[in-house]
Structure formats: structure tokens, C-alpha cells
Amino acid sequence: MSRILFVTSSPRGAASLSTKVATALVDRLQAQSPGASVVHRDLAAQPLPHIGEDFLAAQAQPAEARSPAQQAALALSDTLVQELFAADTIVIASAMINFGLASTLKSWFDYLLRAGVTFRYDETGVHGLVNGKTAYLVEARGGVYSDGPAKAFDFQEPYLRHLLGFMGVTDIESIAVEGVAYGPDVAEKAVAGALDKVSTITARAA
């Protein structure tokens, strides 16, 4: 049975265009794989606490020496890591905030990136341990960053691709919903174009 991990992060709630397009993608993927399960991690509705001293210290302590707070911090990370490893497909809806990720999405990655768990180092370099998965990035942006003069200020997609790739997820498709701050007509066209790309991607994957 196919398993989809669906991560949303926009603080705009029901008005979120990244969530709207990503939900359409998840629905199409689920329709193509009857019986597929979806785990939805809504980081805006249920934000993760930022990592702190307890989380960092817990990773350096043997289990029997961890304080209750350290155990809780690591247990949360373990849950998120298990969700990631269990998924066959990862769909991330990301709203661009100040040229990058929402802090809630950044926190999610902070709990996932753990040496010896989702990546490891050896004498040849870094090796991602989260392999054999496909990721889809749905990225909403007020401006246009995929091309043109603002491309140099896109710290959203390159960063997402790097973090996923660092953990071993390299089969990545991106869907941009761009220029949505230029007015309702432009936003409508951006959503329609993104939904067309959803159709193309899912038809190719079928």
C-alpha cells in the first residue's frame, strides 16, 4: 500500500494557495493508488517547538542518562523521522516567507536532520539514509522567482532541495504558484497553471 506524507506550513489557513494546489496533488496521487494512506502534518495548525538545548543534549546522551525533557524532545523527533521513513511519497506545501521557508517548516527539518539517523558521514563525505522516495514541492510566492532578476533571491526551493537531498531524497518535482501578490487575476492564472502541472505530473506517474 502506498503511503503519502503531506506536509503543509502556510500561516494563511484556508486561503493558502500552496495548500490548495498541494491538496489537489495529494488527491490525484491517492486516486491513482487506491488504498493509499495519507499522513497530514499541518505545521501551521500544530507548530513544532523550536529545537533547543534538550533536543541537542539528548542526542549526545545514552538513553538511560536523558532527562524527561530530553526524552520528550527526542521522542518527538523519532515520531517525525518514522513518518518520513514510512512514506513512499512526500508532498510539501511551502509558502515563501521573506524569501525562504516558514519557520514552522524549518523546525520540521531541524527535527529530521540527525546524524546517524537520516544521514551519515564517512571518509568519502555525507550519505543520505532516506532513500527510494519521491518528493513534490508546491511553492507559493508573491513574486516571480523561477526566472528573471528575482531568481537570485529564491532561498526557498534551493534550500528545500538541499535539505531533502542531504537526507537522500533526490527524486524531486517542483510546482510553483508564482506572482500571486500581483493581483487576483494573476493569482488565479498562477493557480490554474500549477493545477495543470499537477495533472501533467500525475499523468506521467500513472
Side-chain angles (χ1 to χ4, degrees), residues 101-145:
L101 311 187
S103 64
T104 52
L105 185 55
K106 171 66 165 56
S107 289
W108 183 69
F109 277 106
D110 287 341
Y111 280 105
L112 291 177
L113 282 135
R114 288 169 53 189
V117 179
T118 53
F119 68 91
R120 66 177 176 85
Y121 286 109
D122 65 18
E123 63 278 2
T124 64
V126 64
H127 303 273
L129 302 176
V130 186
N131 307 123
K133 303 180 189 304
T134 298
Y136 297 95
L137 307 177
V138 179
E139 302 155 325
R141 296 109 172 247
V144 175
Y145 294 86

Side-chain angles (χ1 to χ4, degrees), residues 27 31 41 55 64 79 84 86-87 89 109 113 115 124 133-134 153 155 159 161 164 187 189 194 196 201:
D27 289 345
R41 176 67 63 173
F55 174 69
E64 64 275 10
T79 296
L84 182 67
T89 303
F109 277 106
L113 282 135
T124 64
K133 303 180 189 304
T134 298
F153 306 112
F155 303 107
Y159 188 49
R161 285 181 173 270
L164 288 167
K189 288 180 181 178
D196 284 344
I201 287 173

Side-chain angles (χ1 to χ4, degrees), residues 1-194:
M1 182 176 68
S2 177
R3 290 164 294 192
I4 301 169
L5 176 58
F6 182 25
V7 180
T8 54
S9 59
S10 173
R12 297 184 67 201
S16 167
L17 299 182
S18 62
T19 300
K20 177 179 180 178
V21 173
T23 298
L25 173 59
V26 170
D27 289 345
R28 288 288 296 268
L29 292 171
Q30 198 171 17
Q32 288 179 349
S33 182
S37 63
V38 178
V39 171
H40 184 192
R41 176 67 63 173
D42 187 340
L43 300 174
Q46 295 181 306
L48 302 167
H50 290 168
I51 62 169
E53 183 179 357
D54 288 326
F55 174 69
L56 297 176
Q59 296 179 71
Q61 296 276 3
E64 64 275 10
R66 292 172 189 149
S67 70
Q70 291 170 351
Q71 291 172 10
L74 205 59
L76 173 57
S77 174
D78 288 342
T79 296
L80 299 171
V81 168
Q82 288 164 9
E83 289 177 354
L84 182 67
F85 272 108
D88 302 298
T89 303
I90 306 154
V91 177
I92 299 174
S94 171
M96 178 182 275
I97 307 293
N98 295 324
F99 308 106
L101 311 187
S103 64
T104 52
L105 185 55
K106 171 66 165 56
S107 289
W108 183 69
F109 277 106
D110 287 341
Y111 280 105
L112 291 177
L113 282 135
R114 288 169 53 189
V117 179
T118 53
F119 68 91
R120 66 177 176 85
Y121 286 109
D122 65 18
E123 63 278 2
T124 64
V126 64
H127 303 273
L129 302 176
V130 186
N131 307 123
K133 303 180 189 304
T134 298
Y136 297 95
L137 307 177
V138 179
E139 302 155 325
R141 296 109 172 247
V144 175
Y145 294 86
S146 60
D147 201 8
K151 186 173 183 178
F153 306 112
D154 177 10
F155 303 107
Q156 180 189 35
E157 182 169 336
Y159 188 49
L160 284 169
R161 285 181 173 270
H162 175 72
L163 293 176
L164 288 167
F166 199 81
M167 295 187 292
V169 181
T170 56
D171 181 8
I172 303 170
E173 291 257 18
S174 62
I175 302 168
V177 191
E178 293 193 300
V180 300
Y182 298 162
D185 290 343
V186 177
E188 185 177 341
K189 288 180 181 178
V191 171

